[in-house]
Structures are given as C-alpha cells and as structure tokens.
C-alpha cells in the first residue's frame, strides 16, 4: 500500500531571530504568551476529555498551530469579526470566548456557549466578534465578505478576519470570495493556515502551485504574503499590517501562514501518513517553547511565565468543572431557535 | 389602484421597501445597470444608487455569502439568483449555512434576507432554466418559502419577506412576468403563512401555486360551466410557514382535495399537504386525495413536450372531472 509517509519531508524554516527585536510592546508579548498557553492547555484538556468519552463526536485541534490564532487575536480590535472553520477552538478562545462555556459546548451541555446545539465544529460568540465556525469548506470566506461589506456600508471601521486551511484553496468558493473582496475593496483579511496537509493528503500533491494561497494572490490583484505561522511575533506583525490597511480602506489581504498540526486532522486520525523526520523537525519548531525562550531573552522572569502557565491551568481546571457540572440539554431545547421567533413552527 | 405587470410588481415591491428602510440593499448578476435579465429590477439603480443596488460577478456562492454575512451583522439584504436552477450551485449557502446557523448557535444570529429567484417553466428554456424547485427549499428547516401568483401578492409578499427576520426564498414565476393585475397605490404589506381562497366552491378544493393558480382558476371556471362542479381554488402562496388552517377548513367544506404542482412528482409540496389532510381530515373526505404534477422527469425544451409535462388547464379539468364522477 502506498504510504505518503515515504515522501520527502517538508521541513520548517529556522526561526527568524530578528523577530526578537521587532518593535512589539513587551506587555503585548506577554499577553500573546498567555493566549498561546490558553489555546494549548484548553485543547490538551479537550483531547483528554475526548479520551474519557466526555467529549463526543469529533474534535479538530489546533495543537501546534496556536501562534496564528494568538497573533491575530492580539492584533484585532474588540469589535472586529472572526470567521473560522471547524478547527475553530483556538480562534474562538483568542477572541475571548470564555473557556467554561466553550468546554461545556464540547461536552454537549446546556451551559455550553451554544446550548449544546452546535458542538465543537460551530463555536460562535457574537458578543466577542466570533461570528462562527463553519464546517463545510469554503462557504465562510463568502460569508466573511458579507460581514466586511456590512462594515464598509455602515462605516464602522470593523475588519473581518477569515481563517481557513490549505485545503480550502482548491474549492470554488475561495476564488469567488477573493474576487468579490478585491472588486469591492472589502475590509477583510483572509488567512490560510497552511499546515501542509489537506486532511490526510499532502497539499502539494493536489495543488497546482507550491504555495496554495500565496501563489493565487496575484490572480486577484493581491500581494503574495507568506508568514511563519509558528512565530507569534511574525504573525502579529503581518496581522497588524493587513488589518490596519483594511481598516484604512485599503481593501482585502491574503496571508498564508505556514504551520503544522501536532496531531491528526481529527480525533479519528493518527496521522501516520507523515514522515517521522518531518514530524520531529516541526516539533522542534513548536511555537510555545520558542516563544518562552524569546521572552526570557527579552528579560521576562521565568517566574512570571510560569505564573501565567499556572493561572491558565487553573482556568482550564475551572472550565472543566464548569462543563462537567452542566446539565445535558433537555427536549425543550430541541425545537427552539429554528426561526427568529424562537420556535420551529412551520405551520399554523 | 394601478395596473402593473408581475415583473413591474417585483421592482415596485423592492422599491417600496428600499424607500422605507435606508439600510436595505440588493445584489445579484445584472440586477443594477441592466435592470435584471427579466427586467424585474428596472429603475432601482437610478433611484437608490450603486451602493445599494449592486451588480455582482457570476458567483452565486459569493452572492449568497455576502447576503448572509451582511444580514447577520445588521444590514438587511435582497439577493437575486437569476434562475432558480442556479440555486444548485449555491445550495450549501442556503441549506447548510443560512438555514442552519441560527439553530446551531442557539439563536445568536439572525438572517433578515430575501433570496429572489426566477422559477418555473413554460418558457421553452429546457431542463436547466425551467425547473420548479420550491420543494427543494420547502424541505430545509430554517427557511421560509413563498411564491406569489399575482402582481398584488408580489408586492405584498415582497414587503412581508423583507420585514421578516428569517431568511425567505422568494420564487418569482418567469411565465407570469408579463401578466397584469391591479396593485393598490398605497403601501402594501402582506403576511407570510397565509393562503388565499381565490375562488369559492363546494364540491372540491384545488390547491395551487404560482403559475398553476391561473390554470386552476380557468379549469374551475370550465368545470362549473360545463360540468356543474363547484371548485374552490386555494392559492397556497406561502409554503413555509404553511397555512394549514385555510386548507383544512376548505377540505372540511368540500370533502375533496387536489393539488396542482409544477415541481416534479416525487416529494413535491402537494405530498406534504395531502399527508396533512390525510392525517387530520381523513374522516371529512369523500374520495381519494389527488396530486396533479409534472412527471418525474427533467423538463424538455420542445413546446409540445413541455406542455405535456407541466399540468395544463385541460389536465386539471379532466383529473377533477373524472375523480368526481
């Protein structure tokens, strides 16, 4: 049987050490570090709870990819809009979704952020600008355009950021959305999290160009931007630039963030289709130890970082208890919120 | 009252609502400068300007995505999908995104949007530009579905659809665009979920939609004149919400029900009406519940074949007559 793991490894580029001296406020960097810890520890717990059969269905984790969500989250204004995919836990948390209701949603409890009706793949918190996690590839790029169009019409200055995977660049909606965004000069930033695999298949095997998003940018009059998606500072800077330009009326941007998922596509996937050397090399580029070392290098005390880690661990514990304490939703919830009157009534 | 064509009524309904609500916008392929390929949006660009009336690329997913994203963030939208056949290329947007997101988020988001589309046959356009697909939309929880048959109802239901906080699929029948009718010259606002008894009768109820309504009325007139059969004709108008009260009350009176559907036979809207009447009014019935539909086929282009496929006045007349004999 042919096995993709025998293909040549695609190794990460080394860390760009110049990023350590980038002009980023130290307080902002500590905040990004906290965010990285939140995303990592929350998802590791979600994984544990899945193994305990408390999280049902499936989960699509961003372990290893947290720098993209954390970097963008730090660069966004509170009223900006996020659109994410089924791999959306990190993006929801990076916009400030409370961990308790998020974890409870994964457990299918009535105190979940969606009352248990959405689940892992649809985390949404409109109050935080988290406009949804969409589980069918491509659609949400078009929907993100609509939110950006609305902001443009209302003159609100809000920017929409839309995250998606490398696999999305091969579906028609990607191309429809980029074309319309450019023609209408919409304030939207499209972010391709290129983790090198479309589910179980290496993206380069099934894509006509080496960089699935960046190499398509020119087709839509956009700059080709590739950023190290495992370096939170690099992401933060690229995010700030694209968001700032969109806010000033400069139109859309497309950013390809190169990254790697530590685990498989979903809970069903042990990801054995990847060369061992590749997996190990990317493990060395895990964004969290790297960022930890960078902050130490910038003079942050070890004790301060470990204090952040402990605080987050306590938050995750509390979120887990909150979720476990939640009731399973009852039949009352089953028939609500199909229509805006709160009901599912289709006849008189 | 003013006499308008059905196509003029579409524009009149949209204009009425765009004047009322300065935040309402519309978009679609050729809807602005060209006034629509069916000339249903003539004059809107001139009156409301290019920011509110937008031409789009041939990108149905992008059109409906823009409508969805704008409507969920405070801007109500009317989107046009030129032919209802093209709903198939953006069905993910309708069936998976627009219809389900309110439920999946437990009510965090609403979609005040209208998706207008030219539906139906009898225009000799062949299988990919003639379908009646209202039953596709009807079976998706989260959508509302209307299909007017007259210019007055077109204005009234357009207003109701725009003002409704839920997504509404608005089927305009392309073979009714040239028909004329009186429309009040004041603000016209209808209600979703109300059928209309367009002809009273006592021997049989015929429920019809869109182009099938004038055909059912003509058949009813002939049945009265030639056979002395008194037919009550209901214009269903709104498939979701569905006005089952009017339907059940009519069947209680006539004891017979016929549906006249342009959609192909399997899982057409009439099957739902008949199942409701079968369950809830069975003991009022004097005979079988009968569906008159297009067969389970793609629509042919040739006039002679298309005329055989879509329920005709003659077919309605003959079916009712032979069933009541």
């Amino acid at each position: 049987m042919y096995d993709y793991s025998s293909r040549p490894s695609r190794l990460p580029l080394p860390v760009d050490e110049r990023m350590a001296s980038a002009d980023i406020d130290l307080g902002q960097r500590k905040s990004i570090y906290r965010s990285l810890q939140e995303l990592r520890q929350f998802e590791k717990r979600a994984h544990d709870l899945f193994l305990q059969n408390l999280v049902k269905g499936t989960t699509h984790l961003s372990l290893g990819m947290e720098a993209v969500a954390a970097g963008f989250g730090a660069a966004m204004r509170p009223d900006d809009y996020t659109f994410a995919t089924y791999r959306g836990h990190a993006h929801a948390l990076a916009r400030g979704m409370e961990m308790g209701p998020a974890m409870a949603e994964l457990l299918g409890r009535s105190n979940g952020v969606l009352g248990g009706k959405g689940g892992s793949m649809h985390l949404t918190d409109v109050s935080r600008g988290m406009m949804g996690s969409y589980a069918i590839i491509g659609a949400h790029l078009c929907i993100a355009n609509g939110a950006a169009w609305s902001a443009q019409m209302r003159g609100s200055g809000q920017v929409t950021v839309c995250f998606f995977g490398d696999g999305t660049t091969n579906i028609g909606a990607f191309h429809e959305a980029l074309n319309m965004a450019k023609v209408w000069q919409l304030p939207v930033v499209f972010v391709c999290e290129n983790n090198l695999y479309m589910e179980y298949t290496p993206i380069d095997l099934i894509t006509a160009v080496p960089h699935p998003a960046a190499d398509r940018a020119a087709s839509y009059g956009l700059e080709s931007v590739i950023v190290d998606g495992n370096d939170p500072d690099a992401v933060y800077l690229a995010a700030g630039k694209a968001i700032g330009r969109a806010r000033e009326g400069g139109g859309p941007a497309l950013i390809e963030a190169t990254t790697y998922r530590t685990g498989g596509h979903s809970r069903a996937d042990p990801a054995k289709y990847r060369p061992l050397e590749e997996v190990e090399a990317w493990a060395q580029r895990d964004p969290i130890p790297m960022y930890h070392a960078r902050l130490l290098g910038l003079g942050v005390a070890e004790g301060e970082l470990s204090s952040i880690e402990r605080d987050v661990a306590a938050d995750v514990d509390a979120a887990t208890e909150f979720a476990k304490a939640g009731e399973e939703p009852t039949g009352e919830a089953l028939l609500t919120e199909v229509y805006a009157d709160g009901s599912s009534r289709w006849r008189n | 009252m003013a006499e308008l064509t059905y196509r003029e009524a579409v524009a009149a309904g949209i204009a009425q609502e765009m004047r009322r609500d300065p935040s309402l916008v519309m978009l679609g392929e050729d809807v602005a400068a060209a006034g629509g390929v069916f000339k249903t949006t003539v004059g809107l660009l001139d009156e409301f300007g290019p920011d509110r009336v937008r031409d789009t690329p041939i990108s149905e997913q992008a059109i409906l995505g823009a409508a969805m994203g704008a409507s969920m963030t405070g801007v109500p939208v009317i989107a046009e999908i030129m032919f209802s056949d093209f709903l198939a290329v953006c069905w993910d947007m309708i069936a998976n995104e627009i219809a389900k997101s309110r439920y999946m988020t437990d009510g965090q988001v609403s979609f005040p949007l209208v998706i207008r589309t030219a539906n139906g046959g009898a225009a000799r356009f062949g299988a990919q530009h003639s379908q009646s697909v209202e039953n596709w939309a009807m079976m998706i929880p989260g959508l509302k579905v209307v299909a007017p048959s007259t210019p007055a109802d077109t204005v009234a239901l357009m207003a109701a659809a725009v003002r409704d906080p839920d997504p509404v699929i608005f089927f305009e029948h392309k073979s009714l665009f040239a028909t004329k009718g009186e429309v009040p010259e004041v603000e016209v606002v209808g209600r979703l979920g109300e059928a209309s008894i367009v002809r009273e009768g006592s021997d049989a109820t015929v429920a019809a939609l869109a182009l099938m309504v004038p055909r059912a009325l003509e058949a009813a007139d002939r049945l009265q004149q030639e056979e002395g059969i008194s037919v009550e004709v209901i214009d269903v108008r709104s498939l979701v919400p569905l006005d089952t009260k009017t339907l059940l009350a009519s069947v209680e009176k006539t004891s017979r029900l016929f549906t006249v559907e342009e959609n192909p036979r399997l899982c057409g809207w009439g099957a739902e009406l008949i199942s409701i009447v079968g369950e809830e009014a069975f003991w009022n019935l004097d005979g079988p519940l009968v569906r008159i539909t297009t067969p389970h086929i793609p629509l042919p282009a040739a006039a002679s074949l298309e005329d055989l496929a879509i329920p005709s006045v003659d077919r309605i007349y003959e079916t009712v007559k032979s069933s009541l004999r």
Side-chain angles (χ1 to χ4, degrees):
Chain A
M1 193 176 90
Y2 184 78
D3 183 352
Y4 293 136
S5 69
S6 61
R7 296 182 74 236
S9 295
R10 284 162 305 154
L11 303 176
L13 292 171
V15 176
D16 181 354
E17 297 299 346
R18 290 170 305 175
M19 281 296 156
S21 53
D23 182 22
I24 301 173
D25 175 72
L26 196 58
Q28 180 67 280
R29 280 180 152 136
K30 290 181 201 168
S31 163
I32 290 173
Y33 186 73
R34 175 178 290 273
S35 179
L36 288 168
Q37 284 290 339
E38 286 172 350
L39 313 191
R40 173 68 53 92
Q41 295 194 38
F42 177 92
E43 286 211 306
K44 287 179 84 165
R45 180 63 54 84
H47 180 74
D48 291 345
L49 295 171
F50 191 99
L51 296 178
Q52 293 168 37
N53 200 29
L54 283 165
V55 174
K56 317 279 189 190
T58 189
T59 53
H60 302 81
L61 303 179
S62 297
L63 293 172
M65 300 168 55
E66 297 93 340
V68 181
F72 265 90
M76 291 173 76
R77 212 168 76 176
D79 64 342
D80 285 341
Y81 295 130
T82 291
F83 286 79
T85 69
Y86 54 86
R87 197 181 303 285
H89 305 163
H91 296 298
L93 296 173
R95 293 306 308 283
M97 181 183 285
E98 288 181 46
M99 280 188 193
M103 194 70 86
E105 188 61 31
L106 268 51
L107 267 65
R109 303 299 167 94
S110 60
N111 57 348
V113 67
L114 312 174
K117 286 167 135 171
S120 163
M121 290 201 276
H122 299 294
L123 294 184
T124 302
D125 186 350
V126 170
S127 71
R128 312 254 177 188
M130 176 62 196
M131 303 306 288
S133 306
Y134 298 82
I136 297 182
I137 298 295
H140 76 299
L141 281 78
C142 299
I143 305 165
N145 270 349
W149 181 36
S150 155
Q152 185 186 59
M153 287 189 283
R154 290 182 283 111
S156 66
Q158 293 161 287
V159 173
T160 297
V161 181
C162 178
F163 301 93
F164 53 92
D166 42 272
T168 300
T169 64
N170 291 323
I171 199 165
F174 168 86
H175 300 274
E176 289 191 19
L178 283 170
N179 182 61
M180 187 181 274
K182 180 60 182 179
V183 172
W184 291 5
Q185 284 293 92
L186 297 177
V188 58
V189 178
F190 293 106
V191 184
C192 174
E193 301 177 277
N194 181 4
N195 62 24
L196 310 183
Y197 289 84
M198 178 227 82
E199 302 202 356
Y200 301 34
T201 304
I203 191 68
D204 59 300
L205 271 182
I206 50 166
T207 307
V209 290
H211 300 289
D215 289 348
R216 266 79 174 256
S219 304
Y220 303 104
L222 299 173
E223 195 185 337
S224 173
V225 181
I226 298 176
V227 63
D228 181 349
N230 278 22
D231 187 329
D233 289 335
V235 171
Y236 174 74
L237 292 175
K241 190 175 160 195
I243 291 169
R245 194 180 55 202
R247 209 182 306 286
E248 297 304 313
L254 173 63
I255 294 173
E256 180 171 328
T258 312
T259 185
Y260 204 73
R261 48 173 157 74
T262 304
H265 164 70
S266 68
R267 263 302 302 141
D269 172 25
K272 289 187 174 164
Y273 42 80
R274 308 190 295 191
L276 191 58
E277 177 200 29
E278 180 183 289
V279 174
E280 286 174 350
W282 280 96
Q284 296 304 310
R285 281 295 324 273
D286 186 319
I288 293 182
M290 184 278 284
Y291 209 55
H292 187 275
R294 182 176 291 166
L295 290 183
L296 292 180
L298 290 168
V300 180
E302 173 75 51
E304 191 174 355
L305 295 180
S306 49
S307 163
I308 290 172
E309 291 154 24
R310 281 196 306 276
D311 287 352
V312 171
D315 290 346
V316 171
D317 285 343
T320 306
E321 292 315 308
F322 175 85
K324 285 180 174 171
E327 307 272 330
E328 297 199 346
T330 61
E332 252 172 67
L334 182 67
L335 301 178
T336 62
E337 298 300 354
V338 175
Y339 295 105
D341 67 359
S343 81
S344 56
R345 198 160 41 245
W346 56 271
R347 60 172 285 192
N348 59 9
Chain B
M1 298 288 258
E3 187 175 67
L4 295 184
T5 61
Y6 187 105
R7 84 172 79 244
E8 289 166 340
V10 172
I14 296 170
Q16 171 186 300
E17 292 308 296
M18 290 186 80
R19 282 178 208 127
R20 178 187 61 82
D21 181 354
S23 70
L24 177 64
V25 296
M26 66 167 287
L27 79 168
E29 295 158 15
D30 296 327
V31 299
V37 297
F38 294 107
K39 301 296 171 196
T40 47
T41 54
V42 169
L44 298 175
L45 174 64
D46 288 342
E47 180 170 356
F48 302 105
D51 287 344
R52 295 182 65 196
V53 180
R54 291 224 178 182
D55 280 325
T56 69
I58 298 177
S59 298
E60 280 80 8
Q61 295 184 85
I63 291 167
L64 294 191
M68 176 176 172
S71 68
M72 73 194 279
T73 53
V75 176
V77 183
I78 300 173
E80 176 178 309
I81 298 298
M82 191 185 288
F83 284 78
S84 64
D85 314 72
F86 308 166
L87 293 174
V89 299
C90 49
W91 200 238
D92 175 44
M93 282 296 169
I94 296 174
N96 287 320
E97 313 297 346
I98 290 168
K100 293 189 172 70
S101 289
R102 179 180 186 85
Y103 186 81
M104 292 196 300
T105 63
D106 202 22
Q108 286 191 43
V109 284
S110 292
F111 304 98
L113 70 90
V114 179
I115 300 171
R116 303 173 35 239
T117 189
N119 193 45
R124 322 314 187 197
F125 288 160
Q128 296 182 338
H129 287 73
S130 304
Q131 293 170 86
S132 284
V133 302
E134 59 274 11
N135 56 329
W136 296 1
M138 186 188 190
M139 62 178 73
I140 306 295
L143 302 177
K144 293 179 176 173
V145 184
V146 298
S149 72
T150 66
D153 277 355
T154 298
V155 177
L157 289 174
M158 184 70 71
V162 167
R163 296 178 194 200
D164 195 88
D166 289 310
V168 180
I169 314 295
F170 193 97
F171 287 104
E172 297 159 11
H173 201 294
K174 64 176 82 74
S175 292
L176 289 172
F177 281 140
T179 60
K180 290 180 181 170
E182 295 289 322
V183 179
E185 286 178 280
V186 294
E187 187 182 71
V188 181
V189 188
R191 291 178 60 176
L192 305 183
E194 279 189 2
S196 167
I197 296 175
V198 290
R199 185 188 199 285
E200 293 204 8
S202 54
D203 296 332
T205 298
V206 173
L209 190 75
L211 180 65
M212 298 299 100
V213 175
R215 293 187 181 187
L217 283 169
E218 192 181 333
D221 285 345
R222 278 182 49 195
L223 285 160
Q224 183 70 62
Q225 286 160 17
E226 297 170 23
E227 306 294 334
I229 296 171
S230 168
V231 174
E232 178 143 305
V233 179
I234 295 178
D235 182 349
V236 178
R237 296 197 292 199
S238 174
L239 292 176
V240 185
L242 185 63
D243 182 1
T244 55
K245 278 190 184 156
T246 296
L247 178 74
L248 289 163
S250 177
V251 173
E252 193 172 331
K253 181 171 69 172
T254 65
S255 302
R256 291 301 302 268
L257 175 63
F258 299 81
T259 62
V260 188
E261 301 160 64
E262 194 176 333
N263 50 216
R265 174 131 193 133
L266 299 189
C267 303
W269 57 262
E272 187 59 49
L273 266 63
I274 280 184
S275 95
I276 290 167
V277 169
E279 280 187 41
E280 301 175 27
F282 183 78
W283 302 109
N284 288 326
L285 294 172
D286 279 348
L289 300 155
V290 178
R291 293 178 62 204
I292 304 164
T293 74
T294 296
H296 188 56
I297 56 169
L299 277 178
S304 58
L305 292 177
E306 193 181 36
D307 286 344
L308 282 173
I310 297 173
S312 61
V313 173
D314 283 347
R315 181 136 66 98
I316 300 165
Y317 172 90
E318 291 297 337
T319 307
V320 174
K321 182 181 147 188
S322 61
S323 298
L324 265 71
R325 189 171 281 156

